[in-house]
Amino acid sequence: MRREFPVVIDWQPDKKSSVPIYRQIVKYVCDKVASGQWQIGTRLPSQRDLAKMFHVNRSTISTAIDELTSYGIISGKHGAGTQIISNTWSLMLPTALNWKKYISAGYFQENTRRIQQINHWEFAPKITRLGTGELDPRLFPKKMWSQIMQKLSTEITSLGYAEPLGLLELRTAIAKHMQKLGINVGVKNILITSGALQALQLIASCLLEDGSTVFTEAPSYLKSLQTFQSMGLNLNGIPMDRDGMEYWRIEKRLKDKESVLYTIPTNHNPTGTTMSDFRRHELMEFCIQNRLPIIEDGVYQELCFDEQPTALKAMDKNGMVMYLGSASKALAPGLRIGWVIASEPVIQRLGDTKMQMDYGASSLSQLVFAEFLNSGLYDEYLVNLKKELKKRRDNALKVLEDNFQGIATWNRPIGGFYIWLTFKDDIEAEDLFEKALNEGILLNTGDIYDFKKNRSIRLSFAYTTCKEFSAAMRKLRKLF
């Protein structure tokens, strides 16, 4: 059988161009195929060789290959490498509809290239995810899940649409569960959403007008999303100290336009900071005086290892706080169950919009989570989960003390998933990300969360075992 050698490439991307390099590579391949120079069956060099030819990172090549694969132009076959499999792609035809202008016309902005890279590499085999915002799947309570599914299998007689605000059974269970956090709420003040992220999308799309300002911590999880930016909202980062957001800096930035405050006061994402009690009371008083509504992201609220701080919503006597909760962080992100707690008119508005979007969260997921809460298994599971997370946190802190003392600083979180590590020397996030990736380590660099360049990374001790975390951090240390 004749061996097909890879095609010879003598082209280089223009690194001074405003067009991203991976898009230049995509266009180059498309042009070659459209012109007939590269026919079906033409084999491309390996991704490693392409990276050397173009003098770019492997991740850039991977992004280009993924896009070409999604177009149906190329395919990777085991033992045959990457080959051209189609030359009749509709976008190449001179009379074809130009989808490019449609692709870029929607109001949702593209994620940044770094976020897209992370989303891709998180699912690569044999990668160590040191910054992921997800619980280790090996901690999933399989026995409890089996017990609940067995019970539901005999009780469920149908799976129709749930009512607009979500299953009454689940909203009742959540209301009872929230009492343990000091939040007293009725079922009419709760909307079930498809994860807390959808709650943010609902708030952004139907409660805030174009041009409104969203104040948030700097750095912030919100900065890594395009949800608010896509809606024409302005993100305004407020610095933090060890007690939390320096809220007094907001006053000078308040304008006539509508404004709202978004905060993760407990086990903050990405820094792991927990706002002190006195700062919480001061913040509430400030927002009341300035009529500034608060979106409190409480998805990590119940993951405190020891003392539980008071939620802002538990202090709310004026209906100023919209509280977001979720089953994703403590139990299972795949359930896609979140909730919003707010005043009844707000909940009705959000619920009406949600019905237009997806006609309700999964009925099966709602039944499952309701049973977890009502059976008492969720509380039992939380106790053991927090013990394991605390053990992993303590191990992570010891590893940092042994390997990064003198070259970096970090915080000691009271719960949650994250440690915010900041290097003392001028470390380039781009280089660090790529070097770590070559070692099989995926990092969440701090620049994706901040409003300015920084030298930080978000470390998660929740996804890896103590042994895995230790080994990966020792590898990372050697890179310096």
Side-chain angles (χ1 to χ4, degrees):
M1 182 176 179
R2 187 168 62 91
R3 178 179 174 84
E4 292 290 340
F5 290 96
V7 69
V8 176
I9 297 176
D10 57 2
W11 170 84
Q12 289 283 319
D14 182 4
K15 295 188 177 181
K16 295 182 180 179
S17 171
S18 60
V19 178
I21 292 176
Y22 82 94
R23 290 200 179 278
Q24 294 183 49
I25 296 171
V26 169
K27 184 178 185 303
Y28 171 74
V29 175
C30 289
D31 289 346
K32 285 290 187 181
V33 175
S35 67
Q37 296 180 59
W38 290 0
Q39 299 178 0
I40 293 175
T42 298
R43 189 158 70 90
L44 301 184
S46 68
Q47 292 191 28
R48 184 185 297 276
D49 288 341
L50 285 171
K52 290 180 180 178
M53 291 177 188
F54 297 152
H55 301 291
V56 298
N57 296 312
R58 284 277 302 277
S59 57
T60 301
I61 299 298
S62 178
T63 301
I65 292 296
D66 287 346
E67 187 158 324
L68 289 164
T69 302
S70 71
Y71 294 161
I73 298 176
I74 66 174
S75 175
K77 297 181 179 178
H78 182 67
T82 303
Q83 295 183 341
I84 305 298
I85 61 169
S86 174
N87 59 7
T88 58
W89 178 47
S90 62
L91 296 186
M92 295 179 187
L93 301 177
T95 58
L97 180 65
N98 181 11
W99 281 104
K100 185 175 180 180
K101 66 178 183 180
Y102 289 93
I103 291 171
S104 60
Y107 67 82
F108 260 101
Q109 298 179 23
E110 273 190 317
N111 277 321
T112 64
R113 178 171 169 269
R114 174 69 70 236
I115 294 292
Q116 290 186 28
Q117 282 182 294
I118 291 172
N119 289 342
H120 166 77
W121 285 106
E122 278 190 330
F123 296 96
K126 297 181 180 179
I127 197 86
T128 301
R129 292 160 61 173
L130 270 188
T132 192
E134 185 180 344
L135 200 63
D136 186 345
R138 290 164 292 189
L139 299 179
F140 183 68
K142 291 185 287 187
K143 289 184 178 179
M144 291 181 178
W145 177 266
S146 177
Q147 182 179 336
I148 284 174
M149 294 304 291
Q150 193 171 24
K151 182 176 185 294
L152 290 176
S153 67
T154 61
E155 295 180 354
I156 295 176
T157 57
S158 67
L159 281 175
Y161 293 119
E163 54 190 287
L165 300 186
L167 287 177
L168 178 60
E169 181 181 354
L170 177 55
R171 286 184 288 130
T172 302
I174 288 174
K176 184 178 179 181
H177 184 66
M178 288 294 99
Q179 290 178 0
K180 299 169 186 175
L181 302 179
I183 300 173
N184 296 310
V185 61
V187 294
K188 293 182 179 180
N189 301 104
I190 299 174
L191 168 68
I192 306 301
T193 57
S194 298
L197 181 55
Q198 188 186 49
L200 287 174
Q201 293 170 338
L202 290 169
I203 291 169
S205 63
C206 65
L207 292 186
L208 301 173
E209 64 180 2
D210 185 41
S212 297
T213 297
V214 180
F215 295 105
T216 184
E217 291 99 348
S220 173
Y221 163 69
L222 202 60
K223 186 65 171 62
S224 70
L225 305 174
Q226 293 295 331
T227 300
F228 279 58
Q229 298 93 316
S230 296
M231 300 297 178
L233 306 176
N234 301 312
L235 290 188
N236 201 318
I238 306 300
M240 302 170 67
D241 60 22
R242 61 185 300 172
D243 291 306
M245 179 186 286
E246 298 177 347
Y247 66 88
W248 54 90
R249 297 178 183 268
I250 296 175
E251 192 165 14
K252 294 180 180 179
R253 308 185 195 186
L254 286 170
K255 298 178 181 178
D256 293 335
K257 276 280 187 181
E258 291 293 327
S259 300
V260 67
L261 172 69
Y262 170 85
T263 179
I264 310 176
T266 305
N267 299 317
H268 178 259
N269 180 7
T271 68
T273 301
T274 292
M275 190 181 293
S276 63
D277 284 341
F278 77 84
R279 183 65 57 83
R280 291 171 190 251
H281 286 284
E282 291 176 349
L283 176 63
M284 285 294 295
E285 186 61 31
F286 173 83
C287 290
I288 291 171
Q289 291 177 358
N290 290 279
R291 301 180 65 82
L292 181 64
I294 299 173
I295 303 170
E296 180 183 12
D297 194 332
V299 298
Y300 301 96
Q301 178 72 31
E302 58 189 2
L303 290 178
C304 295
F305 304 149
D306 297 305
E307 187 177 350
Q308 181 83 45
T310 305
L312 297 177
K313 186 61 181 175
M315 305 176 185
D316 183 23
K317 308 301 180 186
N318 303 289
M320 292 191 61
V321 180
M322 290 178 281
Y323 181 90
L324 311 183
S326 175
S328 295
K329 299 306 176 184
L331 184 57
L335 277 178
R336 305 312 305 137
I337 292 296
W339 57 91
V340 189
I341 297 174
S343 62
E344 191 172 340
V346 170
I347 290 298
Q348 290 295 331
R349 174 75 173 104
L350 296 177
D352 177 69
T353 304
K354 178 172 170 54
M355 290 298 284
Q356 298 177 52
M357 293 175 67
D358 62 10
Y359 224 73
S362 162
S363 296
L364 179 58
S365 292
Q366 291 187 66
L367 287 168
V368 168
F369 191 53
E371 184 59 32
F372 257 105
L373 291 173
N374 289 329
S375 65
L377 291 177
Y378 184 71
D379 289 335
E380 179 184 336
Y381 162 70
L382 270 183
V383 170
N384 294 323
L385 173 64
K386 289 191 284 188
K387 286 180 181 178
E388 175 62 25
L389 288 177
K390 185 177 182 180
K391 183 180 77 172
R392 294 187 180 195
R393 179 207 61 182
D394 293 344
N395 173 75
L397 292 172
K398 185 177 186 306
V399 170
L400 294 179
E401 187 73 26
D402 292 343
N403 293 276
F404 290 85
Q405 187 71 29
I407 65 172
T409 59
W410 55 88
N411 62 311
R412 181 185 178 85
I414 67 166
F417 291 179
Y418 310 116
I419 296 173
W420 188 245
L421 182 78
T422 301
F423 295 102
K424 293 181 179 180
D425 292 328
D426 190 14
I427 304 296
E428 288 292 335
E430 181 84 15
D431 291 342
L432 181 61
F433 179 87
E434 297 296 345
K435 288 178 180 178
L437 199 57
N438 288 336
E439 294 292 327
I441 300 170
L442 181 61
L443 296 177
N444 283 41
T445 50
D447 54 311
I448 63 179
Y449 305 104
D450 215 341
F451 293 79
K452 60 183 179 181
K453 185 177 179 179
N454 65 36
R455 304 188 307 276
S456 303
I457 56 176
R458 184 185 81 173
L459 293 175
S460 171
F461 50 82
Y463 194 80
T464 56
T465 64
C466 292
K467 183 178 179 180
E468 290 166 347
F469 184 91
S470 301
M473 290 306 294
R474 284 194 291 268
K475 277 187 180 181
L476 197 64
R477 178 64 181 88
K478 288 181 180 179
L479 294 179
F480 296 97

